[in-house]
């Protein structure tokens, strides 16, 4: 399908028009502070003007719309014969402004939740969501290492992909559903000069990203395996709080906990799923009290192994998209690039 | 009176219920003669002034709000005012408005709690609000609705009513959004009918309040711009005394009394009263017109010397707070909510924060060193100031009711204590004796 | 337990804010009152009976005479819940534990100091067995209601053993460290719907430390940010002054 | 990219339990209760010995419990539940006629075909006898498929011993050798005393033709493995069943993960050589 051009001045109207039919979620300002600058989050909008398409990165990724931080799986009653029914979110959603790394992460989670046992709660949300991507010409900030992980370019996983070409967005149409969405916008055909501008963007992008990990990340699975007994884990583990922040903000983490909540009548309630973190003290402990990853260092190692080895081995692509959210949110300043660099050097 | 001349009465109430904190009433009448007449404070002492020593400027309001769960916003207000006074910190108009809104919230919450949950059961002849759930479900529903409104107001502005979070010297750590203020406004509007119904309810019950009067000195904070709650510019009394905030000790004088473990406060007379009635008696002219209307309906006229009418004054202040809160919401919305970061230049010095909490005048007085660490602290809590007055009331009240049964006398005394809405867990550290510095 | 469990509330050295939080459950109060019988709640009702099943004990123990009372409550109650920070960890009252007690009393009560015997604040579990701890200054309404439902359903209530950061992330807050501030949430037990960070203020540790806190790392991080050891210790002892890991650090 | 539209969202959520009726229940010991369950919808549970189900008690939660019966026995399945926490305690309150939620079966289970024609040595300690029992019964029901069968059963005290009647029956069988020991004996006990590994002195193992199935607490497992390995049984002939925390049973929630292995998918039954390589297995 031929690309279109959407003037920036007409973008807000487009998003607002979509909001009539879908829940539109996109980047918005969460807060501003002297030391922290502007912080963004994905959130629902009814007025497209509230979207901040110039955002760098959001606190949580759009994952929260597919695997919510908290969600209800079941509703049940226990009077007489117990009854239970599944609770599904069937809202139609458009995710606006997803960056390539977050799109890549969505691709990975799609794999995870549709391989073997299919997860209906995830899939029901995912199938009803359309993604309008927004390409980026440079890393979000100095924490990002998406280039190392090869996630700053995505070829698919979106319905539309917008590229900033100055006064307008160059919009690639990847799916028919995307085309239907774009019908709600006032667009025009892409002319030669638009293609040229988009080419210029891609060239800028090429020069805009730099690798930061000194080894090629395709070797990380082997490097990690060799580092299993490295003292690096011990050293980093000492600094780690096991607070779980790294997992909880990660766009590719998908571990969860399931708990039952009763209503005050004590005869009805819900079964809830909450995202979980393998860094937490009790994550792998069983009823008898035994914990199978008791040391902080072993939990931390597990996280890095999952990100750059286990997931790669299971699904053929890296489990880390290099967005840097874990590192930005780590109070102990434990840093992925440093960690990979250290283990590569310490073998 | 002849029948009571030789009467002996022994009232010993261990832990007066439906008040905050542990207090005992001890009244001893022998052969018609009043021998002992005390409200003993048996709460475990908590030593807040000591706990403040060595603490940083930004911790003071967090620590002192823990003095009392019911007046937590008040303590936080007095605390930030004291720190701001000490360091010469100016706050924005927006901050002032938000703080006032917070105090209106707390005032409504506390008065509604007191009138409906603690005092009304006496007038309806039951032991607590629990039986009212069955007999007067509408009343309970209304009380909960108003309480929730007030709690939510404080929640939106400062995170929590019990121990507010975002109130800090210089302003707030989080500014509510315009949508949240609009929401508060809509919620208040939705509750106007309930406020009116509260006035009607109390107007209908007011006849049951004991007819007991005793003239005393009523003390309150005064603010030229409004009926002083959140802050004021000077202290005034109905006896015409007057002093600046920093000179509060000129009026709030403490005396050692033999029988009580707490020091008593008075000015010229043997006792002084603070609280809703004292504020009304001093500042009633500044009340919102709707509150004045309510006062007329309730038969409350200044100067009112019936202690039991403190409850009625609370209702009047509830009306006032609701309407003033509406005004403040409008002001905030008109000005638009701006993100502000509190600016504080740490400086050495002494500062005094005076505020009117639901139970009366509250004093926080700190001295800071140049690192912003507290070197001296003094806190005077309303119930502490009322103690002498309560006992003076006892002394007049008991002989007047001596012809009644012991149970009735006890109930009367308990109601009298409850009328003050005493907050005993804070009052235990209101003493001001210093040997340091 | 009988169809309608009997609840009682008691308080020692405290601000009674936790009891107030119970009355503040406006939406659930009527349902709660329908499901239980409250037989002792001095702050709100006249009745005081001793035949309670579940006792909620608020406040720290600071006087010899309180010990006797809390032991009596323990004997009568089938389940004893330590209610709020003062009861679970010593709370704000334990600030005074770091000063000589005579000085503390004298500063406040002068020559009458002797009238107020008081020793360093102790959490309730120091004196009697505690079946459940509901942390927080004040307790969280939602946690209290969850715990009530569990108690009524005969289900054990799991007190979170993960730090405030977890719930802070669920709430999608900006981490205070990113704003150049400090925060005790990294080692403080969650369960409060991260009130403080959500309202822009640091977590002051009112729920006490998690089970295996990395206290050393916390001290390192805070000292790196320019706080002195004394200041860091003060931060931690605002509520958790009875915690060995902290007091020994000092 | 995946073709999600090709996978229309399942009508049946794997999180919604089916219901089972308890048709028989009894206490085996003071801590363990036995249940025989029939699925309500008439669709029997299609399971292998060594698989587990997630038992659901609404309002309380779920717990993974091994199936302790063998599919060779008919349209029911059996569970042995130790009171260990919230769900298991509630289960102990259930009796014949009550309903429970059941998800599963999950996991790989034992592979009776793989050990066909071989000697089988069972080493079951404590609650480990429950999952082992499924395979034991299978082997007895297909006795001709297997050569020598040896059962070593251990418990802490005589009172902790599960399935006492069945063990007696096994002991009286001529076609197998069954030895039982308790760590701490009481006056009623006349059998073997001491930890289960001491029973190895009383049996003979033909290492090249034996599969050892070892199920029990981690500490027992470690020492029992040492015994069979020192007898010369190859590592890939040592079979064990591991316990981990589990929430979903679907290979998603991550709690049961050992390195890159989801125990609820690839396990809980593993061969020792595999577990050893994992390094975090035991
Ligand atoms: C494959 C497999 C097979 C099993 N087979 C059997 C069997 O046949 N018979 C049997 O009796 N048992 C069996 N178990 C063990 C059984 O699953 C546990 O005893 C059971 O899950 C305990 O659940 P509970 O709700 O009773 O315990 P609880 O302790 O109340 O645990 C409830 C849940 O909370 C978790 N939890 C425990 N401690 C904490 C904590 N501190 N913080 C947060 N969460 C916590 C538990 O992991 C569990 O998921 C098996 C386990 C596995 C993995
Ligand atoms: S965010 Fe940092 S401190 Fe927290 S668990 Fe992750 S690595 Fe450890
Ligand atoms: S603000 Fe505090 S609680 Fe929240 S993530 Fe940061 S350190 Fe943790
Ligand atoms: S954030 Fe910390 S201080 Fe605030 S309520 Fe929660 S635990 Fe208490």
């Amino acid at each position: 399908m031929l690309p279109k051009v959407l003037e920036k001045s007409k973008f807000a109207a487009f998003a607002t028009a979509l909001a009539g039919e879908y829940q539109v979620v996109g980047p918005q300002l969460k807060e501003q502070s002297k030391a922290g600058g502007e912080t963004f989050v994905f959130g629902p909008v009814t007025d497209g003007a509230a979207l901040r398409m110039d955002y760098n990165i959001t606190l949580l990724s759009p994952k929260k719309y597919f695997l919510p931080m908290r969600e209800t799986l079941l509703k049940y009653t226990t009077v007489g014969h117990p009854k239970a029914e599944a609770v599904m979110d069937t809202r139609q959603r458009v995710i606006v402004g997803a960056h390539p790394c977050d799109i890549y992460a969505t691709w990975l989670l799609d794999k995870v939740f549709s391989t073997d046992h299919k997860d209906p709660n995830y899939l029901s949300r995912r199938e009803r969501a359309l993604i309008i991507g927004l390409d980026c010409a440079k890393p979000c900030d100095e924490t990002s290492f998406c280039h190392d992980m090869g996630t700053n370019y995505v070829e698919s996983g979106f319905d539309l992909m917008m590229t900033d070409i100055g006064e307008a967005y160059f919009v690639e149409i990847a799916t028919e559903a995307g085309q239907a969405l774009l019908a709600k916008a006032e667009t025009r055909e892409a002319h030669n000069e638009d293609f040229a501008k988009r080419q210029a963007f891609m060239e800028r992008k090429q020069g805009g990203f730099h690798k930061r990990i000194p080894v090629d990340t395709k070797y990380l699975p082997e490097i990690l395996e060799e580092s299993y007994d490295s003292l690096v884990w011990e050293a980093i583990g000492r600094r780690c709080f096991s607070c779980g922040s790294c997992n909880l903000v990660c766009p590719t983490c998908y571990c969860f906990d399931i708990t039952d909540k009763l209503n005050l009548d004590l005869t009805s309630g819900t079964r809830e799923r909450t995202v979980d973190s393998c860094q937490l003290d009790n994550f792998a402990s069983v009823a008898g009290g035994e914990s199978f990853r008791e040391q902080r260092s072993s939990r931390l190692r597990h996280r890095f192994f999952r990100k750059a080895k286990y997931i790669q081995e299971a699904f053929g692509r890296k489990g880390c998209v290099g967005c840097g959210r874990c590192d930005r949110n780590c109070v102990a300043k434990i840093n992925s690039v440093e960690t990979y660099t250290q283990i590569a050097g310490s073998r | 009176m002849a029948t009571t001349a030789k009467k002996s009465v022994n009232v010993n109430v261990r832990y007066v219920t439906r008040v905050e904190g542990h207090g005992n009433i001890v009244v001893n009448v022998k052969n018609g003669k009043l021998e002992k007449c005390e409200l003993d404070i048996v709460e475990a002492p908590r030593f807040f002034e000591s706990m403040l020593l060595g603490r940083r400027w930004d911790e003071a309001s967090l620590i002192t709000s823990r003095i009392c769960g019911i007046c937590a916003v008040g303590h936080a207000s007095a605390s930030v005012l004291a720190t701001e006074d000490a360091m010469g910190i100016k706050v924005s108009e927006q901050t002032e408005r938000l703080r006032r809104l917070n105090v209106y919230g707390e005032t409504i919450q506390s008065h509604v709690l007191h009138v409906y949950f603690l005092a009304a059961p006496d007038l309806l002849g039951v032991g607590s609000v629990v039986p009212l759930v069955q007999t007067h479900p509408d009343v309970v529903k209304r009380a909960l609705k108003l309480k929730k409104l007030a709690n939510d107001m404080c929640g939106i502005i400062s995170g929590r009513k019990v121990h507010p979070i975002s109130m800090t010297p210089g302003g707030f750590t989080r500014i509510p959004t315009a949508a949240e203020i609009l929401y508060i406004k809509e919620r208040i509007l939705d509750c106007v009918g309930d406020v009116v119904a509260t006035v009607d309810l109390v107007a209908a019950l007011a006849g049951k309040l004991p007819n007991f009067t005793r003239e005393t000195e009523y003390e309150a904070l005064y603010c030229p711009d409004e009926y002083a709650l959140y802050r004021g510019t000077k202290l005034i009394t109905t006896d015409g005394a007057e002093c600046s905030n920093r000179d509060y000790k000129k009026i709030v004088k403490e005396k050692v009394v033999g029988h009580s473990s707490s020091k008593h406060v008075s000015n010229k007379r043997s006792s002084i009263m603070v609280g809703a009635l004292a504020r009304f008696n001093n500042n009633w002219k500044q009340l919102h017109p709707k509150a004045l209307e309510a006062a007329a309906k309730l038969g409350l006229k200044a100067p009112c010397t019936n202690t039991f009418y403190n409850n009625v004054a609370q209702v009047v202040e509830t009306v006032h707070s609701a309407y003033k809160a509406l005004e403040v919401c409008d002001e905030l919305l008109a000005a638009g909510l701006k993100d502000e970061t509190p600016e504080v230049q740490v400086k050495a010095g002494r500062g005094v924060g005076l505020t009117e909490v639901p139970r009366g005048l509250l004093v926080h007085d700190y001295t800071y060193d140049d690192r912003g660490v507290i070197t001296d602290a003094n806190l005077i809590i309303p119930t502490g100031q009322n103690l002498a007055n309560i006992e003076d009331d006892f002394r007049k009240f008991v002989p007047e009711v001596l012809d009644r049964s012991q149970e009735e006398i006890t109930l009367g005394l308990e109601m009298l204590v409850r009328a003050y809405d005493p907050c005993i867990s804070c009052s235990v550290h209101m003493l001001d004796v210093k040997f340091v510095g | 337990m009988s169809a309608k469990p009997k609840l009682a509330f008691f308080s020692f050295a405290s601000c009674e804010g936790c009891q107030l939080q119970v009355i503040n459950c406006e939406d659930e109060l009527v349902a709660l009152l329908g499901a239980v019988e409250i037989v002792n709640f001095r702050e709100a009702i006249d009745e005081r009976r001793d035949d309670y099943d579940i006792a909620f004990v608020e406040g720290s123990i600071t006087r010899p005479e309180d010990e006797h009372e809390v032991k009596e409550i323990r004997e009568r109650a089938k389940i004893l819940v330590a209610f709020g920070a003062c009861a679970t960890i010593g709370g704000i009252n334990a600030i005074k534990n770091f000063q000589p007690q005579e000085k503390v009393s004298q500063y406040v009560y002068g020559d009458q100091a002797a009238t107020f015997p008081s020793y360093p604040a102790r959490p309730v579990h120091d004196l009697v067995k505690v079946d459940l701890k509901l942390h927080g200054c004040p307790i969280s309404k939602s946690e209290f209601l969850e715990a009530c439902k569990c108690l009524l359903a005969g289900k054990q209530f799991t007190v979170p053993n993960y730090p405030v950061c977890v719930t802070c992330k669920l709430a999608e807050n900006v981490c205070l460290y990113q704003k150049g501030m400090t925060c005790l949430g990294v080692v403080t037990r969650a369960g409060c719907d991260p009130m403080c960070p959500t309202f822009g203020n640091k977590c002051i540790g009112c729920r006490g430390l998690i089970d295996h806190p990395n206290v050393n790392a916390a001290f390192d991080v805070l000292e790196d940010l320019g706080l002195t050891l004394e200041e860091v210790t003060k931060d931690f002892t605002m509520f958790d002054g009875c915690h060995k890991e902290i007091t020994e650090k000092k | 990219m995946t073709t999600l539209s090709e996978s229309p969202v399942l009508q049946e959520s794997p999180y919604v339990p089916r219901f089972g009726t308890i048709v028989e229940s009894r206490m085996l010991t003071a801590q363990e209760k036995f249940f025989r369950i029939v699925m309500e919808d008439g669709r029997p549970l299609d399971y292998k010995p060594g698989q587990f189900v997630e038992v659901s008690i609404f309002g309380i939660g779920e717990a993974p419990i091994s199936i302790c019966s063998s599919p060779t026995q008919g349209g029911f399945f059996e569970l042995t539940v130790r009171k260990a926490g919230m769900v298991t305690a509630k289960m102990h309150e259930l009796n014949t006629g009550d309903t429970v939620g059941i998800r599963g079966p999950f996991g790989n289970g034992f592979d009776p075909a793989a050990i066909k024609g071989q000697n089988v040595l069972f080493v079951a300690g404590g609650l480990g006898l429950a999952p082992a029992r499924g395979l034991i019964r299978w082997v007895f029901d297909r006795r001709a498929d297997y050569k020598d069968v040896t059962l070593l059963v251990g418990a802490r005290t005589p009172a902790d011993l599960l399935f006492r009647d069945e063990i007696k029956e096994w002991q009286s069988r001529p076609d197998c050798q069954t030895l039982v020991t308790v760590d701490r004996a009481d006056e009623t006990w006349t059998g073997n005393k001491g930890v289960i590994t001491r029973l190895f002195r009383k049996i003979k193992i033909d290492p090249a033709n034996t599969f050892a199935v070892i199920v029990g607490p981690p500490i027992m497992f470690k020492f029992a493995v040492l015994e069979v390995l020192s007898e010369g049984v190859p590592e890939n002939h040592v079979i064990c069943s591991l316990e981990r925390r589990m929430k979903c049973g679907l290979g998603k929630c991550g709690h049961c993960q050992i390195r890159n292995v989801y125990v609820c998918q690839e396990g809980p039954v593993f061969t020792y050589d595999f577990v050893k390589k994992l390094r975090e297995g035991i």
Side-chain angles (χ1 to χ4, degrees), chain B residues 422-435:
Chain B
C423 196
I424 292 165
S425 63
C426 13
S427 64
V428 293
H429 35 75
M430 43 76 238
L431 286 160
D432 177 36
V433 194
K434 293 288 162 52
F435 292 91

Side-chain angles (χ1 to χ4, degrees), chain D residues 215-226:
Chain D
V215 202
I219 183 79
M220 179 220 95
F221 180 76
K222 269 182 213 163
F223 289 105
V225 166
L226 283 179

Side-chain angles (χ1 to χ4, degrees), chain A residues 84-196:
Chain A
E85 63 174 314
V87 177
M88 296 281 170
D89 179 355
T90 54
R91 224 170 322 178
Q92 303 279 336
R93 244 184 222 112
V94 180
I95 314 270
V96 181
H99 280 170
C101 58
D102 287 344
I103 293 175
Y104 180 104
T106 307
W107 173 88
L108 186 74
L109 291 187
D110 290 351
K111 271 275 205 206
V112 168
F113 285 108
S114 58
T115 302
D116 298 331
H117 298 278
K118 296 188 173 27
D119 188 291
N121 295 71
Y122 176 92
L123 294 175
S124 138
R125 289 193 166 81
R126 182 65 185 91
E127 283 177 5
R128 289 175 176 79
L130 293 153
I131 296 180
I132 303 182
L134 177 67
D135 207 352
C136 29
K138 58 177 175 40
C140 302
D141 61 23
E142 68 288 348
T143 318
S144 320
F145 54 104
C146 46
H147 191 33
D148 295 271
M149 293 301 170
T151 61
N152 48 345
Y153 292 91
V154 280
E155 256 101 63
S156 57
F158 46 82
D159 296 281
L160 296 172
M161 176 60 85
M162 314 201 303
T163 309
D164 186 337
I165 52 167
E167 295 299 298
Y169 294 113
F170 184 93
V171 189
E172 272 175 274
I173 305 167
T175 65
E176 268 164 31
Q179 186 166 39
L181 281 188
L182 200 57
K184 293 207 185 310
E186 218 182 294
T187 54
R188 60 171 171 79
E189 304 296 317
H191 309 308
N192 282 351
E193 67 210 53
D194 300 316
F195 280 96

Side-chain angles (χ1 to χ4, degrees), chain A residues 73-74 76-78 81-86 88 103-104 106-108 110-128 154 156-158 225 228-229 254-262 270-271 273 276 282-288 290 292-293 298 301-302 305-306 309-310 313 317, chain D residues 1-17 19-21 40 54-62 84-86 88 98-101 103 105-107 217-219 222 242-262 264-265 277-282:
Chain A
L73 295 178
L74 303 180
Y76 49 77
T77 55
T78 58
H81 192 289
K83 278 190 235 8
E85 63 174 314
M88 296 281 170
I103 293 175
Y104 180 104
T106 307
W107 173 88
L108 186 74
D110 290 351
K111 271 275 205 206
V112 168
F113 285 108
S114 58
T115 302
D116 298 331
H117 298 278
K118 296 188 173 27
D119 188 291
N121 295 71
Y122 176 92
L123 294 175
S124 138
R125 289 193 166 81
R126 182 65 185 91
E127 283 177 5
R128 289 175 176 79
V154 280
S156 57
F158 46 82
E225 191 55 41
Y228 189 83
D229 294 309
Y254 56 89
C255 290
F256 54 81
D257 191 18
I258 299 179
T259 47
D260 276 24
K261 290 245 179 315
L262 276 168
T270 52
R271 187 159 285 172
R273 161 153 88 179
D276 207 341
N282 295 117
F283 184 80
S285 62
V286 292
E290 188 157 3
F292 291 95
R293 269 185 298 275
S298 63
R301 178 177 62 199
H302 186 67
F305 271 58
R306 270 195 76 136
K309 176 174 157 67
Y310 303 152
E313 287 163 356
R317 283 173 90 166
Chain D
M1 277 283 157
T2 73
T3 47
L4 278 164
S5 45
E6 287 166 27
S7 74
V9 167
L10 305 161
Q11 291 309 301
E12 227 172 78
S13 165
Y15 295 109
V16 181
F19 289 104
T21 309
E40 266 181 15
E54 285 281 353
V55 177
S56 221
I57 308 274
F58 293 113
I60 311 289
E62 291 188 305
M86 292 187 278
T88 48
D98 287 336
T99 307
V100 284
R103 292 196 298 123
F106 297 120
I219 183 79
K222 269 182 213 163
L242 299 184
E243 185 185 344
R244 283 297 183 274
R245 182 147 172 186
M246 283 174 192
K247 284 293 177 183
C248 66
L250 308 168
K252 311 274 188 258
C253 80
H255 289 272
C256 71
Q257 229 187 351
I258 307 176
R259 305 266 263 142
N260 57 341
V261 172
Y262 281 88
C264 71
Q265 301 299 297
K277 268 189 258 147
L278 287 180
R279 301 192 52 186
E280 290 173 15
I282 336 152

Side-chain angles (χ1 to χ4, degrees), chain B residues 358-369:
Chain B
R359 284 152 201 79
L361 178 75
L362 172 64
V363 180
H364 281 218
D365 178 352
Y366 310 149
T367 307
Y368 282 105
D369 70 9

Side-chain angles (χ1 to χ4, degrees), chain A residues 4-20:
Chain A
K4 291 268 168 84
V5 169
L6 171 64
E7 298 297 333
K8 280 186 177 167
S9 60
K10 290 177 179 146
F11 172 76
F14 171 44
T16 308
L18 292 179

